[in-house]
Amino acid sequence: MTKLPDLIAKNMADPAFAAAYAEADAEFAVIEAMIRARAEAGLTQEALAERMGTTQSAVARLEGGRVSPTVETLRKYAKAVGKRLKVEMV
């Protein structure tokens, strides 16, 4: 059976795959940072939602990657977990 890292490495030679993988990796990094910040703040999704003025299900959709948040939503999320939003282009 082929292991996932081997399969990824093999397909990285395809420019279209490499571009799609990089884009997905960036999205997952944002989601991971959000979940880590919430955990560090000791908040449940419900408590975070209350601070943001939204619902737990909306937070779940954000953290599940099922929606693309606006910058304003990311600012609210950051503020609710005691952080500030910083966006960089590299």
Side-chain angles (χ1 to χ4, degrees):
M1 175 178 258
T2 303
K3 296 189 188 256
L4 182 59
D6 296 335
L7 187 60
I8 292 169
K10 178 182 172 185
N11 285 300
M12 288 301 263
D14 176 2
F17 177 87
Y21 186 84
E23 185 175 322
D25 191 44
E27 289 179 30
F28 286 124
V30 170
I31 292 167
E32 182 182 354
M34 291 168 64
I35 294 169
R36 187 179 322 110
R38 179 175 58 79
E40 288 172 0
L43 297 171
T44 63
Q45 286 183 342
E46 187 174 351
L48 176 65
E50 189 174 313
R51 288 184 178 193
M52 290 178 66
T54 190
T55 63
Q56 179 275 327
S57 60
V59 171
R61 285 191 300 276
L62 281 171
E63 293 182 351
R66 293 187 301 268
V67 296
S68 294
T70 64
V71 172
E72 183 58 29
T73 298
L74 291 174
R75 270 194 202 107
K76 286 181 183 179
Y77 191 105
K79 183 177 179 183
V81 296
K83 305 272 185 187
R84 65 180 181 83
L85 180 64
K86 179 180 177 183
V87 178
E88 292 183 280
M89 289 192 190
V90 293

